[in-house]
Amino acid sequence: MKQYFVYILTNKHNGTLYVGFTSDLPKRIWEHKNKVADGFTKKHGLQNLVYYEIFETPETAIHREKRLKKYTRAAKIKLIEKDNKNWNDLYDSLR
């Protein structure tokens, strides 16, 4: 069954945050880490995966992404630190 992901990237502990959506999380994070696409994440060096959620449909994932983007910075930090207190890069755990 196909899965969809909403994720948060950062450049450092308590740094700039980016919320994204994808259907292939390992590939997408690899693209961020290797600066494949121009844009906000490349400009700010955002390549550490600190949070993600898994969904069964693209509609629910996109809805969640839109909600997370409206969260305050404090709410996003609280969400990250609930399961990733040290802001560890979760990319290696995907493989």
Side-chain angles (χ1 to χ4, degrees), residues 29-71:
I29 301 308
W30 182 91
E31 292 171 348
H32 286 299
K33 287 183 172 294
N34 290 280
K35 299 176 172 89
V36 172
D38 289 333
F40 184 84
T41 59
K42 182 176 179 179
K43 178 180 177 183
H44 295 279
L46 307 178
Q47 52 183 283
N48 296 329
L49 176 66
V50 291
Y51 180 83
Y52 67 93
E53 296 178 19
I54 304 169
F55 298 88
E56 293 181 6
T57 68
E59 295 82 13
T60 54
I62 291 168
H63 178 73
R64 177 64 170 160
E65 176 197 24
K66 288 178 180 179
R67 282 185 36 220
L68 281 181
K69 286 185 174 191
K70 292 180 181 178
Y71 274 27

Side-chain angles (χ1 to χ4, degrees), residues 8-10 17 48-52 80 84 87-90:
I8 300 177
L9 294 179
T10 189
L17 300 175
N48 296 329
L49 176 66
V50 291
Y51 180 83
Y52 67 93
I80 292 165
N84 190 0
W87 292 56
N88 296 320
D89 187 354
L90 303 174

